[in-house]
Amino acid sequence: MRHRNSGRQLSRNTSHRHAVLRNMATSLLQHETIRTTVPKAKELRRVVEPLITMAKADSMALRRLAYARLRDEAVVEKLFGDLGPRFKARAGGYTRILKMEPRPGDSADMALMQLVDPAPGANEKKDDAKGGKAAKKSKRAAPADA
């Protein structure tokens, strides 16, 4: 019987399951969007959301605890330097799971997991690229008229 045993096994032993979730959490925090199966995404949510909550209050002890769970200095720096302040006003629910079409090989239910608030620089880069192209066209047009 599995009374009071929470969480999914994901067809893995304990050490493999922890390693998979650690790697997926690192990838999600680094790239802010990953593609995975629905059960893995639901388990990953239980790992990532407490990490973001920890990052909202920056201290050396919390940084060490996050490093113990992630084992990647760059991701811990991004977590406390960028993601924690970004989600400071949000009470919870930092991730979103969007269901996708099944995987072609085995028809596994796939999901797109992403952080809720996009990075502020992501939209600005697109706007700058468009503005830059428009500025180049106007510069070319100005000498032709003169």
Side-chain angles (χ1 to χ4, degrees), residues 91-139:
Y94 311 113
T95 58
R96 171 187 301 135
I97 298 174
L98 301 171
K99 302 219 172 137
M100 300 173 64
E101 293 182 359
R103 188 162 50 198
D106 59 356
S107 294
D109 294 330
M110 297 300 289
L112 186 72
M113 186 164 188
Q114 52 189 208
L115 298 179
V116 175
D117 293 333
N123 293 335
E124 293 173 5
K125 290 178 186 174
K126 292 178 184 176
D127 293 340
D128 289 342
K130 290 179 184 177
K133 289 180 183 177
K136 287 180 185 176
K137 289 180 183 178
S138 66
K139 288 179 183 177

Side-chain angles (χ1 to χ4, degrees), residues 16-146:
H16 188 192
R17 185 170 52 252
H18 288 310
V20 165
L21 291 174
R22 173 181 288 164
N23 288 333
M24 288 175 54
T26 301
S27 295
L28 179 64
L29 294 173
Q30 183 178 8
H31 301 292
E32 299 187 13
T33 300
I34 60 170
R35 182 175 171 263
T36 184
T37 61
V38 173
K40 284 181 191 172
K42 289 182 178 180
E43 278 302 302
L44 181 60
R45 185 173 46 192
R46 296 178 60 197
V47 174
V48 170
E49 296 210 0
L51 287 170
I52 295 175
T53 302
M54 280 194 320
K56 289 164 66 173
D58 193 1
S59 72
M60 185 56 68
L62 291 175
R63 282 179 181 259
R64 287 177 177 162
L65 186 58
Y67 180 75
R69 294 185 183 171
L70 294 173
R71 304 301 296 175
D72 190 338
E73 290 181 16
V75 173
V76 171
E77 183 60 38
K78 179 178 181 181
L79 181 65
F80 283 89
D82 179 36
L83 299 178
R86 189 191 321 171
F87 291 112
K88 194 79 159 176
R90 194 173 183 91
Y94 311 113
T95 58
R96 171 187 301 135
I97 298 174
L98 301 171
K99 302 219 172 137
M100 300 173 64
E101 293 182 359
R103 188 162 50 198
D106 59 356
S107 294
D109 294 330
M110 297 300 289
L112 186 72
M113 186 164 188
Q114 52 189 208
L115 298 179
V116 175
D117 293 333
N123 293 335
E124 293 173 5
K125 290 178 186 174
K126 292 178 184 176
D127 293 340
D128 289 342
K130 290 179 184 177
K133 289 180 183 177
K136 287 180 185 176
K137 289 180 183 178
S138 66
K139 288 179 183 177
R140 289 181 191 161
D145 293 337

